[in-house]
Amino acid sequence: MIWAKEETLSRKEIQQIQLNRLKEQVEWAYTRVQPYREKMDAVGVRPEHIQSLNDLKLLPFTKKQDFRDHYPFGLFAVEREKLKRIHASSGTTGKPTVVGYTAADMDNWTENVSRIAVMGGATAADMVQICFGYGMFTGALGLHAGLENIGATVAPTSSGNTKKQIMFMQDLKTTLLVATPSYALHIAEVARSMGIDPQKDLHVRIGLFGGEGMTEAMRDEMHRLWGPDMKVTQNYGMSELNGPGVSGECLELCGMHINEDHFIAEIIDPATGEVLPEGEKGELVITCLTKKALPMLRYRTMDITRLFYEPCRCGRTTARMESLSGRTDDMLIIRGVNVFPTQIEEVLLQIPEIGPHYEIIVERIGHLDTMKIQVELADDSLFDSYAGLEALEKKIRGGLRSILGLDAEIKLLAPGSLPRFEGKAKRVTDKRKDLGLNC
Amino acid sequence: MKQLSIFVENKVGSLAEVTRILKEAGINLRAVASFDSPSYGILRVIVDDPEHARELLLSEKHAVKMTDVLAVELVDKPGALDGALQRLAEAGISINYVYSFVLRKEAEPLMVLHVSDMEQGRRVLQEAGLRVVDKLDS
C-alpha cells in the first residue's frame, strides 16, 4: 500500500511542488532568521534569485556548527510560544542541537513517518512496540505519532529491560517492532536464551529499523533470527530534519524513498561543496521544504550516500537514496546514540590522573555495540595503588556515562604506551565496518 | 625497604617481559607479588639492586614506581604473622597489602607489608619485638 498520492507523482509534478515550496521557504528563512539572512547577504543571494531548482546551489550550506553558534533558539523562525515541541540531539561538543516544531511541522512530521511505516509494511491492524528510548531524541516519538496516525496500536515500551520487552511482545502479540537493528538482534538472542523462539513463539512480522545504519549482513542476520518472512526495512532521518521520516525503504529493498515534497536531496563533494551528478556518491545535503519553526536550507548531513531517480517497482516515483556508506565527520553511532570523539575527549581532559592521549575502539560483540576507551596514566602516582586505579576507572566511566548516556569499558595503560601521531591523530578504531550493497 | 611497583597490561607475556629484563641484568628477585584486574596488573617486586632495576625497566618503557614497604622478620612458627597483624590492628593501622619473600637461606621468613601509616607501623612492629629489615644482605 502507498500512503500518500505525493509518493507517485511524475517527476515534473514533484519538481513543480519543490520549486514553489523552495521559493516560499527561502523567503521565510531570509526574512525571519538573521543567521540565514547574514549568510545569504554575504554571498549576495536574495530570495528572488531562486527561480529554478537549479538555483538551489546558490544558497550557502547550513551546518551543525550553526546550531552551536546560535544555541538554543537562534536559527528559529517563530517565537518560542508558537512551538509545540522541543527535541534535541547530541552535539559535537558540550551543547546539544536543539530543534523545535510548530503545530503544522508536527503534522508534516507525522505524515512523513506514516508514509515510511506503510512503505515498510505497517497497517492499521498492527500491534506496535517501540523500543527506542523516549526522551529528547526524535526517534521514539516520531515513529510513535506516525504509527498512531495510520491506526496502529502503539506500546511505548522504550529501550532497555530486554526480558520485559519480550514479555510484552508475547503477551500483547506484538506484530511490529521499532528499534535500532542491533537492539532488534539482541532482543532475538535474549529471547532464544530464555527458551523462546522468536520465529515460532513471537508474532513480530515487521521490523522498522533506524537510529543507525543497517548493513546487508545485519539484514541477513535479522532474517536468520526473526524468520525469513519478516519484513525488514530501515528508514532515515535526523533531528535537524524533524527526525525520522526523511526517507525509508519499501519492500522492494532498493534504496530509501525520500519524501520529496518535503525534502530536496542533493549530493555534494564534501571537500569542495560542489554538487555532483546523479548517481555519484558523496555527502547528502537536505533542504526542508515545509519546516516553519526551524527552516533548514541545504543542511549538510555528513552522511555519505548516492541518489537515483528511476521509478521503483513498488509504484513510488520518489527519489531513492542508497544505504549510508559512512560519514564525512568522525561521528560514531553506538547503540543508536550519536557519539563524537570530541565529547569523549572533553571528559578525559578534565581528569588530571590521565594523559591527553586516548584511543576509542568500537566493536560489535554478539549483537551489541561496545566501546572501549584506552587511556594512559598521566604519571606514576597511581602505579602502586590498586584502589586508586579502580577509583580512577570508575570516575572515567561515570564521566562518560553522564555526557553520552553510554557505558564504556576503560582500559588504563602505562604512560607513553599509546601511539603518537605527527599529523592527524587516529583515535578511533571502528571494527564494525561490514558494509553491504543494496541493489 | 624499597619495592618496585610495575604497572603491566594484562596480556600474554607481559610479566615474562619484566622478569626477562631483570634476569638479563643478573638482578635477583627476592619477593614478588602480583595483583590483577581484567585489564591491568600491578607487579610488586623486591630486588637486590632496586635503583638499577628501576632504571633498566624505565629504559625499556615500563611504568615503574619505587615505594617504601616494611619487611618484617618473623619466626617460622604458627601465629607469627598473626601476632604482627594484631598489633597493627590494635594501633588502628590498616594494611594495604602483604606478601612474602620467596626463599631465604638459613634465615627467618620475611613478610612485606604496606600499611596506611608507614612510620607508625614500623614503630608498632618494633615495639612488639619484631625486626624490621631495611636492607638485604647480599
Side-chain angles (χ1 to χ4, degrees):
Chain A
M1 194 196 141
I2 295 173
W3 179 254
K5 66 175 192 322
E6 287 83 358
E7 298 174 79
T8 56
L9 299 176
S10 71
R11 185 86 335 239
K12 214 178 143 197
E13 289 169 311
I14 292 174
Q15 287 178 340
Q16 191 54 54
I17 294 174
Q18 287 187 327
L19 181 58
N20 293 343
R21 290 182 173 175
L22 177 65
K23 285 181 178 173
E24 192 183 312
Q25 200 65 11
V26 172
E27 173 81 33
W28 178 263
Y30 185 84
T31 51
R32 292 183 160 247
V33 186
Q34 195 185 343
Y36 276 120
R37 191 161 52 245
E38 285 170 358
K39 277 189 163 193
M40 284 171 62
D41 286 345
V43 293
V45 178
R46 297 184 55 84
E48 56 269 28
H49 294 150
I50 306 301
Q51 289 305 322
S52 74
L53 287 178
N54 206 28
D55 296 332
L56 177 61
K57 64 173 184 288
L58 301 174
L59 296 171
F61 293 115
T62 307
K63 295 178 178 174
K64 188 115 180 159
Q65 179 67 32
D66 294 313
F67 280 87
R68 208 179 151 201
D69 294 344
H70 303 289
Y71 176 85
F73 294 128
L75 293 178
F76 282 66
V78 300
E79 303 75 47
R80 210 274 302 137
E81 291 76 8
K82 296 265 163 46
L83 301 177
K84 289 267 280 185
R85 174 97 61 77
I86 293 290
H87 277 286
S89 73
S90 50
T92 46
T93 46
K95 296 291 188 190
T97 302
V98 170
V99 301
Y101 310 78
T102 63
D105 292 343
M106 300 271 299
D107 289 345
N108 285 326
W109 184 18
T110 299
E111 158 73 15
N112 284 330
V113 176
S114 293
R115 291 182 192 173
I116 266 119
V118 170
M119 238 179 253
T123 68
D126 276 305
M127 174 67 232
V128 175
Q129 198 164 325
I130 297 184
C131 306
F132 279 152
Y134 278 70
M136 291 302 267
F137 292 102
T138 49
L141 285 162
L143 266 299
H144 185 117
L147 282 155
E148 279 186 351
N149 188 43
I150 66 161
T153 312
V154 177
T157 53
S158 200
S159 59
N161 205 345
T162 307
K163 285 186 175 161
K164 205 168 198 175
Q165 299 277 10
I166 294 163
M167 182 198 81
F168 277 126
M169 226 166 256
Q170 273 185 304
D171 298 348
L172 304 176
K173 295 193 168 51
T174 299
T175 58
L176 190 157
L177 172 65
V178 173
T180 61
S182 50
Y183 190 52
L185 293 171
H186 181 67
I187 293 173
E189 289 286 4
V190 173
R192 279 158 69 135
S193 75
M194 292 162 72
I196 294 166
D197 181 348
Q199 302 191 34
K200 291 200 193 93
D201 306 325
L202 299 176
H203 303 82
V204 179
R205 56 174 199 97
I206 297 171
L208 295 180
F209 300 122
E212 65 186 9
M214 178 167 64
T215 61
E216 290 311 299
M218 286 170 92
R219 199 195 307 268
D220 291 345
E221 185 66 3
M222 206 72 81
H223 283 301
R224 189 179 72 78
L225 290 168
W226 287 97
D229 299 330
M230 192 201 207
K231 292 172 177 152
V232 179
T233 61
Q234 63 178 327
N235 53 75
Y236 175 80
M238 59 178 60
S239 56
E240 298 91 320
L241 312 173
N242 281 343
V246 174
S247 64
E249 285 175 335
C250 67
L251 298 173
E252 297 292 332
L253 303 181
C254 279
M256 294 183 268
H257 288 277
I258 299 166
N259 284 315
E260 282 190 285
D261 51 329
H262 294 273
F263 305 98
I264 299 180
E266 301 169 273
I267 296 292
I268 63 159
D269 177 334
T272 63
E274 197 188 325
V275 178
L276 296 175
E278 184 182 334
E280 280 195 38
K281 195 175 264 196
E283 181 181 341
L284 179 69
V285 171
I286 296 276
T287 297
C288 298
L289 297 173
T290 50
K291 240 150 69 69
K292 290 296 180 218
L294 182 60
M296 271 300 112
L297 303 180
R298 302 195 87 198
Y299 186 68
R300 293 189 59 161
T301 64
M302 310 281 227
D303 285 318
I304 295 170
T305 185
R306 189 156 37 190
L307 298 175
F308 38 106
Y309 292 87
E310 311 86 72
C312 180
R313 287 191 294 267
C314 73
R316 290 177 185 82
T317 53
T318 44
R320 284 167 285 158
M321 53 187 268
E322 195 178 65
S323 287
L324 304 180
S325 50
R327 295 272 306 170
T328 61
D329 64 356
D330 51 7
M331 186 180 89
L332 298 161
I333 302 182
I334 296 167
R335 280 173 254 155
V337 179
N338 296 352
V339 174
F340 293 94
T342 45
Q343 293 175 298
I344 294 174
E345 189 169 311
E346 273 188 15
V347 172
L348 299 179
L349 290 177
Q350 282 165 18
I351 300 174
E353 296 94 326
I354 51 179
H357 301 276
Y358 64 94
E359 186 179 6
I360 302 166
I361 299 166
V362 186
E363 276 181 277
R364 189 164 283 135
I365 295 176
H367 293 301
L368 283 186
D369 297 333
T370 61
M371 178 167 60
K372 180 157 85 179
I373 296 172
Q374 307 205 100
V375 289
E376 288 178 0
L377 293 165
D379 53 44
D380 65 3
S381 58
L382 288 176
F383 285 177
D384 193 44
S385 168
Y386 202 73
L389 291 168
E390 274 197 339
L392 175 60
E393 270 192 4
K394 217 173 148 188
K395 183 166 155 190
I396 301 170
R397 258 203 313 274
L400 290 169
R401 193 185 302 118
S402 71
I403 292 291
L404 307 174
L406 279 174
D407 275 313
E409 184 194 331
I410 306 301
K411 190 164 168 128
L412 298 174
L413 302 174
S417 46
L418 283 171
R420 301 298 196 256
F421 300 93
E422 287 185 0
K424 190 173 158 46
K426 191 186 176 308
R427 304 243 183 254
V428 180
T429 306
D430 193 340
K431 298 182 175 171
R432 299 172 300 179
K433 301 237 160 92
D434 54 338
L435 295 166
L437 280 177
N438 245 10
C439 288
Chain B
M1 187 171 298
K2 297 291 179 196
Q3 160 195 264
L4 295 181
S5 297
I6 306 144
F7 179 86
V8 285
E9 250 187 87
N10 214 344
K11 67 181 185 197
V12 175
S14 57
L15 289 184
E17 164 68 12
V18 173
T19 52
R20 177 191 63 80
I21 294 167
L22 298 177
K23 181 200 79 180
E24 284 173 4
I27 294 171
N28 208 348
L29 272 172
R30 298 305 184 139
V32 60
S34 116
F35 304 80
D36 64 313
S37 82
S39 61
Y40 57 84
I42 302 172
L43 179 70
R44 298 192 173 105
V45 295
I46 295 201
V47 295
D48 288 342
D49 188 349
E51 200 47 64
H52 181 46
R54 179 173 169 273
E55 266 157 36
L56 273 174
L57 288 165
L58 282 177
S59 73
E60 300 232 13
K61 297 216 180 291
H62 282 278
V64 192
K65 187 181 189 186
M66 195 183 291
T67 42
D68 285 314
V69 287
L70 299 172
V72 193
E73 197 171 75
L74 299 171
V75 283
D76 191 4
K77 66 172 193 197
L81 178 61
D82 178 60
L85 299 188
Q86 293 299 342
R87 293 300 171 91
L88 290 171
E90 283 160 19
I93 296 167
S94 64
I95 293 161
N96 297 327
Y97 52 84
V98 57
Y99 59 98
S100 68
F101 266 61
V102 258
L103 190 65
R104 303 185 76 216
K105 267 183 220 145
E106 296 156 21
E108 296 296 346
L110 270 185
M111 294 302 294
V112 178
L113 289 121
H114 193 276
V115 298
S116 54
D117 184 333
M118 297 291 280
E119 269 316 300
Q120 209 198 335
R122 167 190 295 272
R123 219 162 37 240
V124 167
L125 293 168
Q126 283 169 338
E127 280 164 11
L130 293 165
R131 195 161 85 90
V132 177
V133 182
D134 289 324
K135 256 192 124 108
L136 293 171
D137 17 280
S138 26

